[in-house]
Amino acid sequence: ILCEDMYFAAKAILAGYSIAYVSDAQVHHSHNYTMHEEFSRYFDIGVFHSDEPWIRAKFGGAGGEGKKFIISEIKYLIKNDPKLIIKACANNFCKILGYKLGQKYKKLSMSTRIKFSMHKKYWKSFED
């Protein structure tokens, strides 16, 4: 559904290859998602993790990194743009909710899965 980079990296490492962090590499990768789009994206990420549990079992999850990010984001906004704190909290709530629902997608109807998903075509090959 997505996270193909994570899937590839995990398979490569298990096959004996290495993954490198290259600090001077430059990549422009940016999204300006609405809260609804964040929800849908994180729903799909939850689906991926539900379908590929071996990745988290073998390599671990993000652990407390999400919480650290939210705290650092709020600290930054307090200093630089306090009016955005409520929006950031709502956005993060959408991400968490989407992810948790995505992890439980098998309990949802196909129409709900399609409604929640960012990648709606993914579900066309499945039956309810």
Side-chain angles (χ1 to χ4, degrees):
I1 191 165
L2 53 69
C3 299
E4 66 283 349
D5 53 345
M6 183 186 302
Y7 182 88
F8 175 81
K11 287 288 191 177
I13 290 168
L14 293 176
Y17 293 93
S18 296
I19 302 299
Y21 171 73
V22 181
S23 63
D24 60 348
Q26 294 184 15
V27 177
H28 178 76
H29 184 86
S30 178
H31 302 288
N32 191 17
Y33 292 136
T34 65
M35 280 188 269
H36 179 264
E37 290 168 331
E38 290 280 20
F39 171 89
S40 295
R41 177 176 169 78
Y42 277 79
F43 176 82
D44 290 351
I45 293 170
V47 169
F48 170 79
H49 283 289
S50 177
D51 286 349
E52 305 294 343
W54 62 271
I55 293 176
R56 289 177 67 188
K58 184 72 178 169
F59 299 100
E65 294 304 312
K67 185 177 177 181
K68 287 180 190 175
F69 172 78
I70 291 170
I71 291 168
S72 73
E73 180 181 35
I74 291 171
K75 285 180 180 179
Y76 175 85
L77 290 174
I78 287 169
K79 291 179 183 176
N80 296 287
D81 202 348
K83 69 183 179 295
L84 291 178
I85 292 172
I86 292 172
K87 181 179 179 183
C89 289
N91 199 47
N92 287 319
F93 175 77
C94 289
K95 290 178 184 180
I96 293 166
L97 181 62
Y99 182 75
K100 296 292 186 184
L101 286 169
Q103 287 182 308
K104 306 288 185 197
Y105 81 93
K106 292 175 185 170
K107 295 181 180 182
L108 302 173
S109 69
M110 184 57 69
S111 62
T112 301
R113 295 174 194 178
I114 293 168
K115 185 177 181 179
F116 286 173
S117 181
M118 179 173 270
H119 299 281
K120 298 178 185 320
K121 290 181 182 177
Y122 173 80
W123 301 102
K124 299 296 180 190
S125 63
F126 295 90
E127 292 186 22
D128 213 9

